[in-house]
Amino acid sequence: MRAIVVTNQAAGTSGMTLAKRPEPPAAINDVVVEVHASGYVPTELAWPSTWTDRADRDRSPSIPGHELAGAVTALGYGTTGLSVGQRVFGLADWHRDGTLAEFVAIEARNLAPLPGDVDFTVGASLPISGLTAWQGLFQHGRLQAGQSVLAHGAAGAVGTMVTQLAREAGAYVIGTGRAADREKALDYGAQEFVDLDNDSLEDIGRVDLVFDVIGGDVQKSSAALIKTGGTLVTIVGPVEARPADGLAIDFVVEADRAQLTEIVQRVRDGRLQTNIGTIATLDDAVAAFNPTERLSGKTIIRVRS
């Protein structure tokens, strides 16, 4: 099969190549999926799991990408809940070869059915950003109607999901980003916007929940704004700043079939809009991941047209 492979961590995305790789077999509890569309997170090549397995053994050349939408082509021994030919989408294991390929082997539990009226491109854009937003807001942040949310990176792939899901849950959402992101953040439902380069974050007052995708000084400033009993949720690694009278939680997103089903249903009925920017073919994927200008929205690779 054809796949995007990486062999040199220091080379970053410029070290990506389109190569031939063996098609993966279906192990116990796995399915093999013919990938129609794949998502990719820009920080993947800095993750240890891209380069080593769970026993810390080198596994390069590795195939990045962990979001996919496609069709099941084979079932491993003991696999239940899915069938050959079924349309699916989901989140591949961090420590295994990923989804920037024509086929991927993936645990069946990491997939959810993709309804026939949802395009594969849309399906591939949902798993990481949708699940990250869902788990950060509701599992870790325990968001309730009437609370306030400070959503950093509100025009980004995760931030637009955070904003929409928080608004639907009855929260008041303050988005942040660069000046150029203001209109997009407001279009996706933020009720206020803070330009982090020019506005003072402290002017927004106190909030119940901070959803942090930036870290550093922004995280430290945000922690000081959290109300008593509030929560700072971050996806950028160990917490650097804790609220004085609240919780601070860092987490790594996990596959969850029930949550994926909730998310895709919201897309189907118009309550949730995707944030897709560039759509490229597998042949053009390396160029798409090495852009000459700042991208807007999530890059999706259309593996099959």
Side-chain angles (χ1 to χ4, degrees):
M1 68 174 183
R2 297 188 311 149
I4 299 296
V5 299
V6 290
T7 57
N8 179 359
Q9 186 169 0
T13 53
S14 62
M16 287 179 161
T17 56
L18 181 60
K20 292 280 191 180
R21 297 288 290 158
E23 286 189 22
I28 294 172
N29 297 324
D30 272 1
V31 298
V32 173
V33 177
E34 181 182 60
V35 181
H36 285 248
S38 171
Y40 170 78
V41 176
T43 55
E44 278 187 38
L45 301 190
W47 300 348
S49 57
T50 299
W51 304 100
T52 60
D53 65 15
R54 282 188 167 80
D56 206 31
R57 296 171 299 211
D58 178 69
R59 66 177 193 85
S60 61
S62 60
I63 301 170
H66 293 282
E67 299 169 282
L68 79 153
V72 175
T73 59
L75 304 177
Y77 180 78
T79 300
T80 59
L82 296 173
S83 56
V84 171
Q86 186 171 7
R87 299 171 96 247
V88 292
F89 74 120
L91 182 61
D93 189 288
W94 310 122
H95 290 271
R96 296 172 63 177
D97 275 343
T99 61
L100 289 171
E102 292 177 320
F103 295 91
V104 65
I106 181 173
E107 285 187 80
R109 66 191 179 101
N110 291 353
L111 297 168
L114 182 68
D117 56 357
V118 178
D119 186 81
F120 288 116
T121 305
V122 172
S125 76
L126 295 173
I128 288 182
S129 51
L131 288 172
T132 299
W134 188 283
Q135 290 167 18
L137 289 171
F138 305 125
Q139 276 182 237
H140 304 297
R142 303 191 178 179
L143 182 68
Q144 302 293 320
Q147 291 186 326
S148 52
V149 176
L150 178 61
H152 287 305
V158 172
T160 50
M161 288 285 176
V162 170
T163 299
Q164 293 176 90
L165 290 172
R167 279 293 303 272
E168 188 200 24
Y172 184 87
V173 180
I174 303 157
T176 79
R178 300 179 182 178
D181 298 328
R182 181 183 300 272
E183 289 308 313
K184 186 171 184 178
L186 296 174
D187 286 345
Y188 275 90
Q191 286 138 304
E192 290 183 44
F193 183 81
V194 178
D195 171 1
L196 291 175
D197 293 328
N198 299 298
D199 299 336
S200 172
L201 201 52
E202 290 71 22
D203 289 347
I204 66 169
R206 310 269 277 175
V207 295
D208 296 290
L209 175 65
V210 171
F211 202 118
D212 171 45
V213 300
I214 300 172
D217 290 340
V218 170
Q219 185 186 106
K220 290 169 186 166
S221 299
S222 303
L225 303 177
I226 293 174
K227 294 177 183 176
T228 299
T231 308
L232 169 74
V233 172
T234 183
I235 58 170
V236 296
V239 176
E240 300 172 76
R242 296 182 175 274
D245 297 299
L247 295 174
I249 299 167
D250 70 285
F251 76 101
V252 176
V253 64
E254 297 179 350
D256 187 295
R257 181 179 291 174
Q259 292 172 7
L260 286 169
T261 301
E262 290 275 4
I263 290 162
V264 79
Q265 182 57 45
R266 282 162 171 74
V267 172
R268 294 180 77 197
D269 59 25
R271 287 179 287 162
L272 194 60
Q273 304 297 318
T274 56
N275 181 10
I276 297 172
T278 302
I279 299 174
T281 64
L282 196 58
D283 288 319
D284 296 328
V286 173
F289 294 135
N290 288 277
T292 55
E293 55 192 39
R294 188 185 180 215
L295 295 177
S296 175
K298 188 170 184 66
T299 298
I300 298 294
I301 301 305
R302 189 87 196 193
V303 180
R304 277 178 183 75
S305 56

PDB file of all heavy atoms in Angstrom, residues 229-242:
ATOM      1  N   GLY A 229     -13.684  26.774  43.009  1.00  0.00           N
ATOM      2  CA  GLY A 229     -14.350  25.557  42.570  1.00  0.00           C
ATOM      3  C   GLY A 229     -14.311  25.330  41.071  1.00  0.00           C
ATOM      4  O   GLY A 229     -14.842  24.330  40.587  1.00  0.00           O
ATOM      5  N   GLY A 230     -13.659  26.241  40.341  1.00  0.00           N
ATOM      6  CA  GLY A 230     -13.575  26.116  38.887  1.00  0.00           C
ATOM      7  C   GLY A 230     -12.452  25.180  38.463  1.00  0.00           C
ATOM      8  O   GLY A 230     -11.751  24.585  39.284  1.00  0.00           O
ATOM      9  N   THR A 231     -12.271  25.065  37.144  1.00  0.00           N
ATOM     10  CA  THR A 231     -11.330  24.076  36.616  1.00  0.00           C
ATOM     11  C   THR A 231     -10.516  24.642  35.464  1.00  0.00           C
ATOM     12  O   THR A 231     -11.065  25.304  34.567  1.00  0.00           O
ATOM     13  CB  THR A 231     -12.070  22.819  36.122  1.00  0.00           C
ATOM     14  OG1 THR A 231     -12.938  22.337  37.145  1.00  0.00           O
ATOM     15  CG2 THR A 231     -11.098  21.720  35.733  1.00  0.00           C
ATOM     16  N   LEU A 232      -9.217  24.357  35.479  1.00  0.00           N
ATOM     17  CA  LEU A 232      -8.341  24.585  34.341  1.00  0.00           C
ATOM     18  C   LEU A 232      -8.096  23.231  33.685  1.00  0.00           C
ATOM     19  O   LEU A 232      -7.611  22.296  34.335  1.00  0.00           O
ATOM     20  CB  LEU A 232      -7.006  25.186  34.784  1.00  0.00           C
ATOM     21  CG  LEU A 232      -5.899  25.226  33.732  1.00  0.00           C
ATOM     22  CD1 LEU A 232      -6.175  26.314  32.711  1.00  0.00           C
ATOM     23  CD2 LEU A 232      -4.537  25.421  34.362  1.00  0.00           C
ATOM     24  N   VAL A 233      -8.460  23.115  32.416  1.00  0.00           N
ATOM     25  CA  VAL A 233      -8.235  21.889  31.660  1.00  0.00           C
ATOM     26  C   VAL A 233      -7.218  22.208  30.577  1.00  0.00           C
ATOM     27  O   VAL A 233      -7.365  23.201  29.846  1.00  0.00           O
ATOM     28  CB  VAL A 233      -9.554  21.388  31.026  1.00  0.00           C
ATOM     29  CG1 VAL A 233      -9.286  20.237  30.078  1.00  0.00           C
ATOM     30  CG2 VAL A 233     -10.543  20.965  32.100  1.00  0.00           C
ATOM     31  N   THR A 234      -6.170  21.379  30.459  1.00  0.00           N
ATOM     32  CA  THR A 234      -5.149  21.641  29.443  1.00  0.00           C
ATOM     33  C   THR A 234      -4.788  20.374  28.694  1.00  0.00           C
ATOM     34  O   THR A 234      -4.858  19.269  29.246  1.00  0.00           O
ATOM     35  CB  THR A 234      -3.887  22.261  30.066  1.00  0.00           C
ATOM     36  OG1 THR A 234      -2.954  22.567  29.020  1.00  0.00           O
ATOM     37  CG2 THR A 234      -3.234  21.331  31.071  1.00  0.00           C
ATOM     38  N   ILE A 235      -4.381  20.549  27.427  1.00  0.00           N
ATOM     39  CA  ILE A 235      -3.964  19.413  26.595  1.00  0.00           C
ATOM     40  C   ILE A 235      -2.506  19.554  26.171  1.00  0.00           C
ATOM     41  O   ILE A 235      -2.049  18.836  25.290  1.00  0.00           O
ATOM     42  CB  ILE A 235      -4.862  19.260  25.349  1.00  0.00           C
ATOM     43  CG1 ILE A 235      -4.853  20.534  24.491  1.00  0.00           C
ATOM     44  CG2 ILE A 235      -6.285  18.906  25.760  1.00  0.00           C
ATOM     45  CD1 ILE A 235      -5.527  20.379  23.140  1.00  0.00           C
ATOM     46  N   VAL A 236      -1.773  20.473  26.795  1.00  0.00           N
ATOM     47  CA  VAL A 236      -0.398  20.735  26.348  1.00  0.00           C
ATOM     48  C   VAL A 236       0.658  20.131  27.273  1.00  0.00           C
ATOM     49  O   VAL A 236       1.829  20.479  27.193  1.00  0.00           O
ATOM     50  CB  VAL A 236      -0.142  22.252  26.170  1.00  0.00           C
ATOM     51  CG1 VAL A 236      -1.014  22.811  25.071  1.00  0.00           C
ATOM     52  CG2 VAL A 236      -0.371  23.014  27.473  1.00  0.00           C
ATOM     53  N   GLY A 237       0.240  19.199  28.145  1.00  0.00           N
ATOM     54  CA  GLY A 237       1.217  18.554  29.015  1.00  0.00           C
ATOM     55  C   GLY A 237       0.990  18.916  30.468  1.00  0.00           C
ATOM     56  O   GLY A 237      -0.023  19.546  30.818  1.00  0.00           O
ATOM     57  N   PRO A 238       1.911  18.538  31.343  1.00  0.00           N
ATOM     58  CA  PRO A 238       1.739  18.780  32.778  1.00  0.00           C
ATOM     59  C   PRO A 238       1.417  20.236  33.089  1.00  0.00           C
ATOM     60  O   PRO A 238       1.965  21.151  32.473  1.00  0.00           O
ATOM     61  CB  PRO A 238       3.102  18.378  33.361  1.00  0.00           C
ATOM     62  CG  PRO A 238       3.625  17.365  32.400  1.00  0.00           C
ATOM     63  CD  PRO A 238       3.152  17.814  31.043  1.00  0.00           C
ATOM     64  N   VAL A 239       0.513  20.421  34.037  1.00  0.00           N
ATOM     65  CA  VAL A 239       0.040  21.762  34.386  1.00  0.00           C
ATOM     66  C   VAL A 239       1.183  22.588  34.980  1.00  0.00           C
ATOM     67  O   VAL A 239       1.901  22.138  35.866  1.00  0.00           O
ATOM     68  CB  VAL A 239      -1.122  21.661  35.392  1.00  0.00           C
ATOM     69  CG1 VAL A 239      -1.559  23.041  35.846  1.00  0.00           C
ATOM     70  CG2 VAL A 239      -2.286  20.901  34.765  1.00  0.00           C
ATOM     71  N   GLU A 240       1.332  23.799  34.476  1.00  0.00           N
ATOM     72  CA  GLU A 240       2.373  24.707  34.976  1.00  0.00           C
ATOM     73  C   GLU A 240       1.835  25.673  36.020  1.00  0.00           C
ATOM     74  O   GLU A 240       2.587  26.189  36.839  1.00  0.00           O
ATOM     75  CB  GLU A 240       2.955  25.511  33.812  1.00  0.00           C
ATOM     76  CG  GLU A 240       3.585  24.668  32.716  1.00  0.00           C
ATOM     77  CD  GLU A 240       3.948  25.517  31.514  1.00  0.00           C
ATOM     78  OE1 GLU A 240       4.958  26.234  31.593  1.00  0.00           O
ATOM     79  OE2 GLU A 240       3.219  25.466  30.505  1.00  0.00           O
ATOM     80  N   ALA A 241       0.540  25.948  35.964  1.00  0.00           N
ATOM     81  CA  ALA A 241      -0.060  26.925  36.881  1.00  0.00           C
ATOM     82  C   ALA A 241      -1.413  26.409  37.344  1.00  0.00           C
ATOM     83  O   ALA A 241      -2.247  26.038  36.523  1.00  0.00           O
ATOM     84  CB  ALA A 241      -0.222  28.269  36.177  1.00  0.00           C
ATOM     85  N   ARG A 242      -1.624  26.412  38.652  1.00  0.00           N
ATOM     86  CA  ARG A 242      -2.872  25.901  39.208  1.00  0.00           C
ATOM     87  C   ARG A 242      -3.720  27.045  39.780  1.00  0.00           C
ATOM     88  O   ARG A 242      -3.183  27.970  40.381  1.00  0.00           O
ATOM     89  CB  ARG A 242      -2.588  24.875  40.305  1.00  0.00           C
ATOM     90  CG  ARG A 242      -1.883  23.652  39.783  1.00  0.00           C
ATOM     91  CD  ARG A 242      -1.625  22.593  40.832  1.00  0.00           C
ATOM     92  NE  ARG A 242      -1.058  21.414  40.189  1.00  0.00           N
ATOM     93  CZ  ARG A 242      -1.773  20.439  39.639  1.00  0.00           C
ATOM     94  NH1 ARG A 242      -3.094  20.502  39.684  1.00  0.00           N
ATOM     95  NH2 ARG A 242      -1.186  19.405  39.064  1.00  0.00           N
TER      96      ARG A 242
END
